[in-house]
Amino acid sequence: MLRTREAADVDAQDPDHLIDLTLVRPTVVGATISVRSRFSAVRFLTILCDGKPWATVPTFPRDGGDGITFSCQLPMVDRDRSMRVEARNAETQEVLGLKVFNVGPLYNSLGLSAALVLDGAHGPLMSMFGLSFDGVKLVISGGQLPPNGDPSQLRVEFDAGVAYTVEYPLPSPDFETHYWYWPNAGLSGIRITVDLLACAPGADPFRFRLVYPDLELLGGEARRKLAATALVPTARTVYIPSNLSSFIGFPGNITQLTRVQGHDSPQSVTFTGYSVFRALEAIMARHGIRPSTGTTVLDWGCGHGRVTRHFIQNWQDARISGVDIDAENAAWCNENLPDGTFSQVPLWPPTSLKAASFDVIFGISVMTHLTAEAQQAWLEELARLLKPGGLALLSFAGPGAVAFSSFWRDRPWWDAWLRSGFDDQQSDSALQGKIPDATYYRNSYQMSDHVRRTYSKYLDVVAIELEQFGYQDLAVLRKRT
């Protein structure tokens, strides 16, 4: 039986007993382990940096089947320095590799530092968008950035009685590119399989939570802001549609789907739209809005009814309406979602909708595409349309969205963003040819402080819930009585 070795027992020059750790990329340590090595069956490695546990990462089969390989991004540093790195068998804690590396700050191709981006980020993004069902097993897939850069810190929790398995972390090249600043973003892939036949009677397999500890990666201000998010139960809860009729009826023109959201399959559109609906429903309930006879709801920016359809299906006693500047999608909703009322609205208000006619208005990813001038014009209009005491739920692209875009940002842009807290200079071509003004639709970013200052001129700002929908934050607003 092998004795578990401590780092002090290891001779770093002993190739017969150690994995040869190398920097496979700047700030990323890794190794290839031959099938002939006695370490070739190791499934997980715990990486320690300067004697402190950093992350537990999986091994993967090497191309061609000759052994295994692994990689782990090291902690971010703000200056050049040496770092002592150990690799241990996660199960036995035997030291398998030990080396000292010279490491330095990480920058994107335009000279923006990862440490600067990370300091302004809120938390590890979660995006669940894949859904498949074979009649027995339900498979949900997507991505979750490793909390604190360590995939082993994530837990998936269903209610008692649900039979499920979790595969995490899985390689995620897209996350590694977009979230270049987040350690081990390339290990963000997640797949959850629910065995419906094996679930206990009465169990709820259509909702789960992603749970992780406090985020030590983030700076003090970012951690303080994130603490508020942890109190919001919907921010890390995923809802799965259980009614197959939710998947019926979508535009045949795929571009009608993709210009509302990037997903081009009805399964993903249904899944993400339903999860947003359930989150909105829970937030509305917390603020006194529940489905009842006569409750009036407006989806401002309804698109093809991605979210509206679920309100129509589940809030049958309420009166559901939707508006959009996209005439094609608004017309499709009118023809195909007959239990709702839909219409096209102009790029600039006012609309023809009656004043004080809605109990709640929600707009998902609308403010994210409007200039400062257009936002203020629409805030005035939304205030006109709400009943006294009515609620508005508006998502906006905050620091999490800016961090997502940082792959293409340089330091001057970043410094200007930090000074102003607002940017609407980038055009978005998603509605090109669908609206009369090609300069109208933008990619707009704003900090919470900017939202409070500007939105409060028209409505009371009740709360701001961070990263409620992916990297979008949510402003909870109420009309003054």
Side-chain angles (χ1 to χ4, degrees):
M1 182 175 181
L2 290 174
R3 180 174 70 89
T4 299
R5 298 183 297 169
E6 297 298 327
D9 301 330
V10 174
D11 178 358
Q13 304 302 316
D14 181 359
D16 294 329
H17 297 284
L18 288 177
I19 297 170
D20 183 21
L21 299 177
T22 60
L23 282 179
V24 295
R25 295 192 304 279
T27 78
V28 178
V29 68
T32 297
I33 304 171
S34 168
V35 71
R36 293 175 293 278
S37 167
R38 67 186 181 90
F39 305 136
S40 62
V42 173
R43 294 183 59 244
F44 289 91
L45 292 169
T46 295
I47 306 301
L48 288 79
C49 297
D50 294 332
K52 297 180 179 180
W54 163 239
T56 297
V57 297
T59 62
F60 296 102
R62 186 183 180 189
D63 289 345
D66 182 20
I68 57 176
T69 185
F70 82 94
S71 64
C72 177
Q73 191 165 7
L74 300 175
M76 298 298 176
V77 296
D78 57 8
R79 56 182 173 80
D80 291 341
R81 50 162 291 195
S82 63
M83 184 177 293
R84 183 174 182 269
V85 179
E86 298 174 39
R88 298 189 177 197
N89 184 327
E91 183 178 357
T92 67
Q93 288 303 297
E94 178 184 10
V95 179
L96 308 184
L98 173 62
K99 190 173 285 189
V100 175
F101 295 101
N102 292 320
V103 297
L106 178 65
Y107 297 89
N108 71 2
S109 61
L110 299 174
L112 180 64
S113 77
L116 188 60
V117 176
L118 193 61
D119 186 59
H122 283 157
L125 175 125
M126 175 268 290
S127 178
M128 295 293 171
F129 50 83
L131 182 67
S132 64
F133 178 53
D134 65 3
V136 175
K137 292 185 177 180
L138 190 65
V139 180
I140 306 103
S141 59
Q144 166 70 66
L145 288 173
N148 292 311
D150 181 2
S152 70
Q153 294 189 15
L154 180 72
R155 297 197 324 275
V156 176
E157 293 184 351
F158 282 83
D159 291 345
V162 177
Y164 67 98
T165 59
V166 178
E167 297 170 81
Y168 179 80
L170 300 173
S172 180
D174 287 345
F175 267 59
E176 187 172 30
T177 297
H178 287 294
Y179 297 95
W180 64 278
Y181 60 90
W182 193 276
N184 293 311
L187 294 174
S188 295
I190 185 168
R191 182 163 54 239
I192 301 166
T193 302
V194 181
D195 187 339
L196 296 182
L197 289 183
C199 292
D204 181 3
F206 301 106
R207 179 185 63 186
F208 63 89
R209 296 166 294 280
L210 297 162
V211 182
Y212 46 78
D214 189 20
L215 295 172
E216 299 174 359
L217 267 180
L218 304 179
E221 178 64 13
R223 290 175 69 185
R224 182 191 66 77
K225 291 180 178 179
L226 189 66
T229 307
L231 299 176
V232 179
T234 53
R236 298 294 169 190
T237 303
V238 178
Y239 303 90
I240 307 162
S242 59
N243 188 337
L244 290 179
S245 66
S246 300
F247 295 86
I248 296 174
F250 283 91
N253 182 350
I254 294 299
T255 65
Q256 288 182 249
L257 304 181
T258 56
R259 64 177 181 258
V260 172
Q261 193 188 35
H263 305 304
D264 60 3
S265 74
Q267 294 96 325
S268 293
V269 171
T270 302
F271 176 25
T272 58
Y274 179 79
S275 200
V276 169
F277 155 70
R278 287 294 306 274
L280 287 172
E281 182 181 50
I283 295 166
M284 291 175 187
R286 290 204 303 272
H287 295 280
I289 303 292
R290 291 177 173 81
S292 62
T293 302
T295 299
T296 49
V297 180
L298 175 65
D299 183 350
W300 175 55
C302 62
H304 55 74
R306 181 177 75 99
V307 179
T308 336
R309 64 175 58 237
H310 301 292
F311 274 96
I312 292 172
Q313 186 175 64
N314 293 277
W315 284 34
Q316 296 182 5
D317 292 332
R319 298 202 302 272
I320 312 298
S321 301
V323 296
D324 205 289
I325 59 174
D326 183 338
E328 183 180 18
N329 267 332
W332 187 92
C333 288
N334 237 351
E335 295 171 6
N336 294 277
L337 301 175
D339 292 329
T341 302
F342 298 90
S343 60
Q344 180 193 8
V345 291
L347 302 187
W348 295 89
T351 69
S352 60
L353 300 172
K354 184 180 177 182
S357 55
F358 294 100
D359 294 295
V360 59
I361 299 173
F362 66 89
I364 305 303
S365 197
V366 179
M367 288 299 199
T368 56
H369 296 292
L370 300 181
T371 64
E373 182 183 6
Q375 285 192 20
Q376 293 180 48
W378 277 107
L379 283 166
E380 184 176 8
E381 176 69 358
L382 297 181
R384 183 185 74 85
L385 297 177
L386 281 171
K387 296 177 182 178
L391 200 67
L393 306 175
L394 307 179
S395 74
F396 63 94
V402 171
F404 176 81
S405 76
S406 64
F407 184 80
W408 304 279
R409 304 298 186 188
D410 58 20
R411 181 61 186 266
W413 185 94
W414 200 266
D415 289 341
W417 155 254
L418 293 177
R419 286 193 303 270
S420 68
F422 186 87
D423 183 86
D424 61 3
Q425 296 305 301
Q426 182 181 357
S427 294
D428 187 327
S429 61
L431 293 184
Q432 189 170 6
K434 302 299 178 181
I435 57 176
D437 183 355
T439 67
Y440 180 85
Y441 209 59
R442 322 291 290 183
N443 285 318
S444 300
Y445 306 95
Q446 51 201 316
M447 292 186 182
S448 296
D449 290 345
H450 183 275
V451 168
R452 290 185 185 277
R453 286 196 309 271
T454 56
Y455 291 21
S456 61
K457 297 175 184 177
Y458 307 93
L459 298 161
D460 287 336
V461 180
V462 178
I464 291 181
E465 301 184 354
L466 305 181
E467 296 189 358
Q468 177 63 65
F469 303 115
Y471 55 60
Q472 292 190 27
D473 302 338
L474 183 73
V476 181
L477 314 167
R478 192 179 294 280
K479 183 174 180 177
R480 302 176 182 105
T481 56

